[in-house]
Every structure is written in structure tokens, then in C-alpha cells.
Amino acid sequence: MYQNKILDAYKATKNYVQDKQIAHDLGVTPQKICKIRTGERYLTETEALFMAETIGLDAEEVLVYLASDRSKTHKAQQAWANIAKKFNRQGLQSFSVLLGAFSSASLLLNTSTTECVLCTIW
């Protein structure tokens, strides 16, 4: 899941040893970080963007990956795959490779929300 990659990258950037240090920075409990790592909970957009800024990741890319993590239907997964293809055509091959790795992640967005996101992106 992309969330774990963000957490790990943030942890490495800050030279942290424990997830509770991340929890302190985000103002959440260590239990929430544990649940995020296991896939029971998800990073909020605010939390993800905070870490992305520290790590130096593109905000839009992070939000797309989070949505991919949250997708739960096959149709939504296909939609995110199509987004990856469009980015790939624009020369962002690393984006599509990473998105493909997360296509099997558990999903929370319903199809109408995904379609709305897709409309906004294009």
C-alpha cells in the first residue's frame, strides 16, 4: 500500500526509529498509525499532504495514490489503471508503475466518487 511507503519515506527523512514519532508529528495516536499500516484505517488527505511536503513528493501524485489505496471495486481499479495510462503517455512512467503496484489495495471510494475524481483530473 502506498500509505506505508509514505510513512516509511517520512520516517527515513526525519531519521525516526519508531512510528510513534510520526504519530506525534501528525497529532494522532500511535494506534492510528498501526491501523494505517495494517490497512484498517487510511491517512487523511491533510496528513498525507503534510508528509508529502516534508518528503518532497508531488501533492497531486500523493492524492491519486491515496485514492488508489482506497478503491474497492474492480471498476474503480480499472479507472485508476486508465489514469496511470494517461500519465504514462505524458512520460510519467514511474507514476504508472507505482500505481499498478497499488491496484490490488483495499478500496473505500465508491464508483461515483471515482468518476468525479476522474472528471476533475481531466
Side-chain angles (χ1 to χ4, degrees):
M1 283 204 285
Y2 187 70
Q3 300 185 113
N4 285 329
K5 293 186 182 284
I6 292 175
L7 291 170
D8 291 338
Y10 183 80
K11 193 175 180 178
T13 299
K14 295 291 234 170
N15 294 319
Y16 287 163
V17 178
Q18 299 179 333
D19 284 348
K20 70 180 182 179
Q21 295 168 296
I22 300 170
H24 177 73
D25 287 357
L26 297 177
V28 300
T29 65
Q31 291 80 9
K32 180 178 180 185
I33 300 296
C34 181
K35 288 181 179 186
I36 289 169
R37 289 230 185 244
T38 62
E40 291 179 55
R41 304 255 336 243
Y42 294 91
L43 289 168
T44 66
E45 291 157 343
T46 304
E47 294 162 349
L49 291 174
F50 170 79
M51 288 190 289
E53 185 177 316
T54 303
I55 300 167
L57 296 176
D58 179 63
E60 293 168 354
E61 182 178 330
V62 169
L63 293 178
V64 168
Y65 286 131
L66 284 180
S68 176
D69 272 355
R70 293 177 178 160
S71 302
K72 63 181 178 181
T73 65
H74 179 70
K75 190 172 182 177
Q77 290 173 348
Q78 292 293 2
W80 289 115
N82 290 337
I83 291 171
K85 288 177 187 175
K86 290 191 181 212
F87 276 109
N88 193 27
R89 279 186 240 138
Q90 295 175 6
L92 300 174
Q93 293 177 352
S94 62
F95 178 84
S96 64
V97 169
L98 289 173
L99 187 58
F102 303 121
S103 65
S104 63
S106 62
L107 311 168
L108 290 179
L109 291 178
N110 62 34
T111 303
S112 61
T113 304
T114 303
E115 290 170 0
C116 180
V117 169
L118 293 174
C119 291
T120 304
I121 290 175
W122 289 296

